[in-house]
Amino acid sequence: MLRRSLLIAIAFYLCIAPAGAQARRKLVVISVDGLDARYLRDRDTMGLKIPNIRRLLKEGAAADGVIGVVPTVTWPSHTTLITGVPPSEHGILGNRRPRSEGGDYYWTYDLMKTRSLWQAAKDAGLKTAAITWPVSVGAPVDYNLPEYFLARRGGAMDLEGIRSKATPGLVDEIAKEFPSFPQQWMDDRTRTLATTYILRKYQPDLLTLHLVDLDAEEHEVGPFTQASKAILEYTDQLIGDIMQAMPKDAVLALVSDHGFARVDKVINLPMLMKQQGATGKLMPMYGIAVAQDAEASKWLEKAAKDPANGIGRQIPKAELEKLSPKLASAAAVYEPADGFLFGPENSKELITKPHEVGVHGLWPLRRDYRSVYVLWGTGVNPERLGEIEMTSIAGRFAKVLGVEFTPGR
């Protein structure tokens, strides 16, 4: 009789308990800055030695690619990953603030205009951690080594800058465990040391980690080069270290913020238009060119027929309305052709070399320009997801954590 009553009580609880309470799992989010989806799609062709990432892809749920947000740069994209809304809603509009606001980085959490997954986890009584995640100074995070720096060297950031904004005492704790941790520059190796320490010591319910070295290498030498592939293979080793340190039954998410492209030429479209005797209002904006009137639109259409001009696809109105509604009223918007960027009109030359050969910040639906999403661990079945949108990822994370989260609220 007692056993029957107990079974009834358990069944009753399962019926009324929130679904999230049954599904709650710890989540480790690893963002590899600049990890273009082609590294995963073409891993065999590239001969990549990435056994840990290959395991995630084989055993987990993986997207064929992630369609990013406007702009496809680091800080807005990382904020979308933990808020589920585009930059126009969460308020982090670039890596740096507008000149009218001083032009500094979007360092602090209070600049976000919408609720984050960190806050949702805190509201649910969960423990959180963040390692060099953008816009995390002052965030509602229990164990925080925020992205904040007084100086940089490639993807590395000065540790003293991070210490000045970190959870008090956390840097010294990690240094006591790992004597090699307190080097001058915090790079992906020491970010990983911090991650494994926090995972083993505190076992947070949500940990968000931003690895940066691949992005820095790609800017210098371009994506898919021997050097960039070597950095990714080293990153894979670090991911393996993190997998070993994860609590039992935890889930790991591998994500990135944007794709990457190689460029060789920067073209001054206003100068070209003037040389060809055309008129109209044209605004070059790095990864797009915006025709503000019919004359400029007509000229772009004609100029795009000559490959030497570096003008690529015209972006359809439907894409503009969905991804950047402010651009939908333009007469026309074009992408640069492969290998080109649209430079500022104050350049003294028609065609110049780029400052960096590897770039991002391009249109989210540009061909072969996607970021990544892979979910692996307890309760995750092998699955191919097709292409997904970056704005959907925070909601997916919330389901793993079992927390209530509505993007934009």
Side-chain angles (χ1 to χ4, degrees), residues 184-200:
Q184 180 182 2
W185 301 104
M186 191 167 186
D187 56 15
D188 283 357
R189 183 188 72 86
T190 55
R191 291 181 181 105
T192 299
L193 291 180
T195 299
T196 58
Y197 174 82
I198 291 171
L199 286 174
R200 290 188 171 116

Side-chain angles (χ1 to χ4, degrees), residues 82-326:
I82 61 166
T83 62
V85 297
S88 58
E89 292 185 41
H90 62 57
I92 308 304
L93 304 177
N95 290 349
R96 289 180 175 271
R97 300 173 70 178
R99 289 185 180 180
S100 60
E101 298 179 10
D104 206 349
Y105 285 88
Y106 282 94
W107 299 117
T108 60
Y109 182 79
D110 60 10
L111 295 172
M112 286 191 203
K113 296 179 179 179
T114 55
R115 189 165 177 253
S116 72
L117 205 58
W118 293 325
Q119 186 64 56
K122 180 178 180 180
D123 292 344
L126 304 183
K127 290 190 297 183
T128 57
I131 294 91
T132 60
W133 195 275
V135 201
S136 59
V137 173
V141 173
D142 297 294
Y143 311 104
N144 194 3
L145 296 171
E147 179 141 335
Y148 180 82
F149 46 84
L150 303 175
R152 288 193 65 169
R153 187 178 68 180
M157 305 164 190
D158 67 299
L159 182 60
E160 288 310 304
I162 293 170
R163 184 201 295 268
S164 70
K165 304 295 183 181
T167 301
L170 186 56
V171 169
D172 292 333
E173 276 188 47
I174 300 168
K176 187 175 180 180
E177 178 73 14
F178 297 111
S180 69
F181 174 74
Q183 62 188 43
Q184 180 182 2
W185 301 104
M186 191 167 186
D187 56 15
D188 283 357
R189 183 188 72 86
T190 55
R191 291 181 181 105
T192 299
L193 291 180
T195 299
T196 58
Y197 174 82
I198 291 171
L199 286 174
R200 290 188 171 116
K201 177 71 180 291
Y202 296 110
Q203 297 195 0
D205 299 283
L206 170 64
L207 183 145
T208 54
L209 165 66
H210 177 210
L211 297 176
V212 193
D213 290 352
L214 175 62
D215 175 90
E217 193 78 5
E218 290 174 312
H219 279 300
E220 290 288 333
V221 301
F224 317 116
T225 58
Q226 182 179 7
S228 292
K229 289 187 286 187
I231 292 291
L232 179 57
E233 291 178 341
Y234 176 60
T235 302
D236 183 82
Q237 296 177 36
L238 300 179
I239 291 171
D241 293 341
I242 293 168
M243 291 169 69
Q244 291 182 4
M246 286 171 53
K248 185 180 179 181
D249 299 333
V251 172
L252 184 147
L254 174 65
V255 297
S256 63
D257 47 358
H258 49 68
F260 240 93
R262 182 182 178 88
V263 294
D264 302 299
K265 298 177 181 179
V266 180
I267 188 162
N268 185 334
L269 290 182
M271 179 182 289
L272 180 64
M273 185 167 65
K274 186 177 180 179
Q275 288 179 354
Q276 295 184 359
T279 60
K281 295 182 180 180
L282 178 64
M283 182 184 298
M285 299 174 64
Y286 186 78
I288 56 173
V290 180
Q292 298 175 296
D293 57 25
E295 289 82 2
S297 175
K298 183 178 179 181
W299 178 80
L300 279 172
E301 182 180 7
K302 180 181 178 181
K305 295 177 182 178
D306 184 350
N309 294 333
I311 302 169
R313 179 185 71 121
Q314 181 178 2
I315 300 173
K317 287 286 185 181
E319 290 184 23
L320 297 171
E321 290 171 352
K322 180 178 181 179
L323 294 169
S324 186
K326 289 184 178 180

